[in-house]
Amino acid sequence: MKIAVLGATGPSGLQLVQESLERGHEVTALVRNPDKLSHIDDAKLKVEKVDIFNEADLNSHFGGCDVVMSCLGTAPSLFGMSTLTFYLDSIKPIIGAMRKCGNTRLVTMTAVDTIPQNRGPWIFEWIIRPVFLSSVLQSMSVMEDYLQKECQDIDFTVVKPPGLTNEPSSGTEVKGAEGQYIEGTIRRISRRDVAKFMLDCIPLKQWVRKLVSIGLPV
């Protein structure tokens, strides 16, 4: 496949780029700082500098791609003291450029529990979520709503992992299900496992226009 990857220089995006290349796909990494990918020497990788918030800047790079994939992310605001609009601000130009270029397949990632479920460990529900994660999860939730309500012409899949690690792939099959969380899974997963699931789900019709929480079995 020909894949356009946004957020390719981040820890999750880098794993997606590397996994894609190992599978033999052609990857166009659309980044703000191309130097961060200079260590990857692969003929199937093209790195382009873009403004991810500029639809016109994305237009010229989406044409001919089989799928657009995004691992874009941002830092949270402490105690939710300021409202984040990053995820909506970034997905709108992506969708606009996809429509102009005739692309329909999008795979992006957010996180489990973008809508509070109050079933995690108390330290997560009462300290980590409200202090460190509330602004990011809320911004992700707004993006999810936008895709579900205004992008029915786009074959999107939103992959929702739990806490991310930089460990190697577990080698275990990743479970996926609609909803905010999967019972019977651990709350940590490697970024490489997430990258593998994102690539595996591209051809699967069952995940089209769905929010898919993923996890590793206990």
Side-chain angles (χ1 to χ4, degrees), residues 11 64 159:
V159 177

Side-chain angles (χ1 to χ4, degrees), residues 87-187:
Y87 288 93
L88 185 61
D89 292 344
S90 59
I91 200 64
K92 283 187 172 181
I94 292 172
I95 295 298
M98 288 180 66
R99 285 170 172 156
K100 287 186 177 179
C101 294
N103 302 104
T104 59
R105 191 69 175 108
L106 170 69
V107 180
T108 187
M109 63 182 291
T110 55
V112 297
D113 293 339
T114 49
I115 298 175
Q117 301 295 297
N118 295 321
R119 57 183 164 195
W122 72 268
I123 193 170
F124 177 83
E125 298 296 345
W126 295 96
I127 297 178
I128 297 176
R129 174 189 286 278
V131 175
F132 299 105
L133 297 179
S134 61
S135 59
V136 167
L137 292 174
Q138 174 61 26
S139 184
M140 288 177 172
S141 180
V142 171
M143 183 186 79
E144 292 172 353
D145 286 344
Y146 168 75
L147 288 171
Q148 290 182 301
K149 295 176 181 177
E150 301 187 40
C151 300
Q152 289 303 300
D153 58 323
I154 301 295
D155 294 335
F156 65 83
T157 302
V158 179
V159 177
K160 298 165 63 67
L164 298 167
T165 75
N166 294 319
E167 297 174 0
S169 172
S170 64
T172 303
E173 183 178 0
V174 177
K175 295 177 63 177
E178 288 188 69
Q180 289 293 329
Y181 182 69
I182 307 178
E183 297 292 345
T185 60
I186 59 178
R187 294 196 68 95

